[in-house]
Amino acid sequence: MTAATAELLDYDDVVARYEPVLGLEVHVELSTATKMFCGCANRFGAEPNTQVCPVCLGLPGSLPVLNEKAVESAIRIGLALNCEIVPWCRFARKNYFYPDMPKNYQISQYDEPIAINGHLDVPLDDGTTWRVDIERAHMEEDTGKLTHLGSDTGRIEGATTSLIDYNRSGVPLIEIVTKPIEGAGERAPEIARAYVTALRDLLRGLGVSDVRMDQGSMRCDSNVSLKPIGRKEFGTRTETKNVNSLKSVEVAVRYEMRRQAAVLESGGRITQETRHFHEDGYTSPGRSKETAEDYRYFPEPDLEPVAPDAEWIERLRATIPELPWLSRKRIQDEWGISDEVMRDLVNIGALDLIAATVEQGASSDAARAWWGNFLVQKANEAGVELDALPITPAQVAAVVKLVDDGKLSNKLARQVVEGVLAGEGEPEQVMKDRGLEVVRDDSALQAAVDEALAANPGIVEKIRGGKVQAAGAIVGAVMKATKGQADAARVRELVLEACS
Ligand SMILES: [Zn+2]
């Protein structure tokens, strides 16, 4: 039997009879320059097995040296999650055999994690928050990456060849574990997704990881169990591994709730096991879950304990930014924009760029108009992310100032921005080099106006006869003759004066 054909209970029936209990474990790869215990580069996407050394290959006699930057990131993550940072902690060896881990043990933290007892107030779609209690955040190293070829699923079952890349071996990881999440009822799947989303945004805001779930730099395991409503003891849980998108977190939790409920309803028992998540929305059984005793944990003898002093912790505490969703809310209020507009700006990656442009002196409306319209279009045309365009917030703010000062019309400003994007220099320089400055000099304008009037005697007649709106045609002719560089309002004044 495949799991795809497993019996599922209707979701409404599940939540009417059972209370779900969740536990979420998130692994995040730190974006440090080097690995956790050696000087190898920590970079995604390099040629396989080019970023390796005796330490991360687990060769006999090699000794690990702890990456201070990784400890700093671990402490900052702990602080941002309102955890207590312990004054003293150690690494442990987690012993097991698998080809992705050549020294046959993983250096991790076991009973002495660096950060404990925190919480995160998670924003939900309806505007309320849900407090998720954090059990611990601990440091460990990543394993190598196995690629199985020849099977339909990409899993080892049925594979004909397996490849191993040790570039990932020894990459610094932080594992963040929640306490049991209870009382969520029917909202459990939504809360699971909201928590991982909030955690991703928080980690991104801290700048400790690129939190790319699609590239595996952030991975979520979701533990789910059910208990009949009113009962105290937890049921048997399953752990769905490596769920690799935010939406999938929600789907995996809902699926497990429905599957487990169907098993329980038919008088069966839940097997404690890890399960694989499949992209089309179901889970299938993996190995039965090892218990901690199986790993023979013991303190790592090759590394000194970590004892962060209070002064260091306070210095790091000062680097914790405002929670991203709180700063988003504050910015939204300041700019006076709707939830929908805000969501769009976040989705196109414009928020930070607009905020930086405002910081450089532009109004939020003007900054929003440039990044949210013209520049996002340019980014789409070039097939790059908005922040990869060769223009800075300071340069956009400079263009806005030229428009505010009346030196550029909006149309001319777009040509200036195109010049900046083409590498022609700073906005003011581009304006001068391309001769784009608005013509405000009356004598130059007067000549163009006189010429247009002389060429259109019929229209002049109409204006003189009281049809003031006919002046538009003359203004248009002057704008065309000056390649859009005339100050249109001033031209209109000159035209009406000449015809009065
Ligand atoms: Zn190495």
Side-chain angles (χ1 to χ4, degrees):
M1 185 192 85
T2 70
T5 61
E7 295 282 331
L8 300 178
L9 193 64
D10 277 347
Y11 193 68
D12 288 345
D13 294 334
V14 177
V15 294
R17 292 172 220 173
Y18 296 96
E19 172 61 35
V21 179
L22 305 182
L24 298 165
E25 297 173 14
V26 170
H27 284 88
V28 58
E29 282 180 359
L30 299 178
S31 50
T32 48
T34 56
K35 292 185 181 179
M36 193 71 171
F37 302 115
C38 63
C40 291
N42 170 21
R43 193 161 53 83
F44 182 83
E47 272 294 295
N49 299 308
T50 55
Q51 296 172 352
V52 292
C53 74
V55 173
C56 54
L57 287 175
L59 301 188
S62 62
L63 287 171
V65 177
L66 182 56
N67 182 336
E68 184 181 356
K69 256 302 194 242
V71 179
E72 237 176 56
S73 293
I75 294 174
R76 294 179 71 232
I77 290 169
L79 292 171
L81 291 170
N82 305 291
C83 287
E84 180 190 325
I85 305 301
V86 301
W88 191 94
C89 64
R90 270 191 299 197
F91 285 93
R93 284 189 186 181
K94 179 180 184 179
N95 297 281
Y96 66 99
F97 173 79
Y98 210 66
D100 63 6
M101 205 183 52
K103 57 185 187 296
N104 291 340
Y105 60 85
Q106 178 189 28
I107 304 180
S108 178
Q109 291 195 294
Y110 175 48
D111 51 351
E112 296 163 316
I114 189 158
I116 55 172
N117 293 332
H119 65 261
L120 183 61
D121 289 325
V122 174
L124 302 180
D125 288 345
D126 66 0
T128 61
T129 59
W130 180 278
R131 175 162 293 191
V132 172
D133 289 320
I134 306 293
E135 170 90 31
R136 58 193 279 157
H138 74 246
M139 300 179 278
E140 60 186 36
E141 59 177 336
D142 211 343
T143 60
K145 184 170 172 47
L146 281 163
T147 304
H148 304 295
L149 303 178
S151 68
D152 294 341
T153 58
R155 298 188 192 284
I156 195 168
E157 296 82 8
T160 53
T161 308
S162 293
L163 304 172
I164 175 74
D165 176 9
Y166 289 115
N167 284 352
R168 200 179 70 181
S169 170
V171 165
L173 277 185
I174 304 295
E175 179 174 345
I176 300 158
V177 182
T178 66
K179 291 185 178 169
I181 300 169
E182 293 183 76
E186 63 175 345
R187 302 188 73 177
E190 178 202 345
I191 285 168
R193 174 180 48 77
Y195 165 72
V196 179
T197 306
L199 193 55
R200 183 199 59 174
D201 290 354
L202 177 138
L203 295 167
R204 184 186 283 149
L206 286 171
V208 293
S209 169
D210 62 5
V211 286
R212 292 279 301 265
M213 290 187 87
D214 57 331
Q215 292 183 353
S217 62
M218 179 167 170
R219 318 194 274 273
C220 177
D221 303 337
S222 66
N223 291 274
V224 176
S225 68
L226 295 180
K227 56 182 184 179
I229 283 177
R231 205 181 73 179
K232 267 205 163 122
E233 308 83 57
F234 292 172
T236 303
R237 70 191 156 88
T238 60
E239 179 181 12
T240 304
K241 303 292 280 183
N242 292 339
V243 185
N244 63 359
S245 78
L246 296 170
K247 183 72 199 156
S248 299
V249 172
E250 182 169 352
V251 171
V253 169
R254 182 177 283 109
Y255 181 90
E256 268 306 282
M257 286 170 65
R258 295 182 63 197
R259 186 190 68 82
Q260 290 184 16
V263 172
L264 295 170
E265 286 294 300
S266 67
R269 295 177 57 166
I270 305 298
T271 313
Q272 183 171 338
E273 63 188 355
T274 59
R275 297 181 68 87
H276 299 302
F277 180 72
H278 300 262
E279 286 310 309
D280 27 3
Y282 67 96
T283 68
S284 65
R287 60 191 156 86
S288 62
K289 180 78 177 158
E290 290 90 351
T291 59
E293 295 84 64
D294 297 332
Y295 291 122
R296 310 279 176 203
Y297 280 99
F298 63 85
E300 165 62 57
D302 289 341
L303 286 166
E304 282 190 67
V306 178
D309 61 48
E311 190 266 335
W312 190 28
I313 293 171
E314 287 319 303
R315 198 148 36 83
L316 293 174
R317 195 191 298 279
T319 69
I320 308 296
E322 184 179 23
L323 286 170
W325 47 95
L326 295 184
S327 59
R328 239 176 263 161
K329 183 85 195 76
R330 183 174 50 73
I331 286 171
Q332 191 181 341
D333 291 345
E334 277 171 21
W335 295 356
I337 56 176
S338 68
D339 290 353
E340 205 181 359
V341 171
M342 191 65 183
R343 224 182 352 260
D344 287 348
L345 294 179
V346 170
N347 285 341
I348 61 171
L351 198 59
D352 292 346
L353 294 165
I354 295 169
T357 306
V358 170
E359 225 161 77
Q360 296 284 333
S363 72
S364 64
D365 283 349
R368 203 149 51 76
W370 279 108
W371 291 107
N373 299 320
F374 188 71
L375 287 168
V376 76
Q377 194 186 323
K378 291 286 160 196
N380 288 341
E381 284 167 18
V384 297
E385 295 293 320
L386 200 52
D387 62 4
L389 283 177
I391 188 166
T392 64
Q395 288 170 326
V396 173
V399 171
V400 171
K401 182 158 192 320
L402 290 170
V403 173
D404 289 347
D405 291 348
K407 291 185 178 166
L408 287 176
S409 65
N410 282 322
K411 193 171 158 205
L412 294 170
R414 284 196 282 277
Q415 294 180 44
V416 169
V417 168
E418 273 168 355
V420 174
L421 291 172
E424 293 170 25
E426 293 300 312
E428 185 122 26
Q429 193 62 45
V430 175
M431 179 178 79
K432 291 200 169 119
D433 291 351
R434 288 196 175 194
L436 293 172
E437 192 166 355
V438 169
V439 178
R440 302 167 67 81
D441 173 11
D442 269 7
S443 60
L445 288 182
Q446 192 67 59
V449 168
D450 290 347
E451 208 169 296
L453 291 172
N456 296 283
I459 296 177
V460 173
E461 199 77 359
K462 282 186 187 165
I463 299 172
R464 292 210 164 115
K467 287 199 168 158
V468 178
Q469 65 270 32
I474 303 289
V475 175
V478 172
M479 295 306 289
K480 200 172 169 201
T482 58
K483 298 199 184 89
Q485 282 169 252
D487 178 343
R490 183 64 191 138
V491 170
R492 190 180 163 78
E493 281 170 19
L494 291 175
V495 170
L496 293 178
E497 265 170 38
C499 297
S500 63

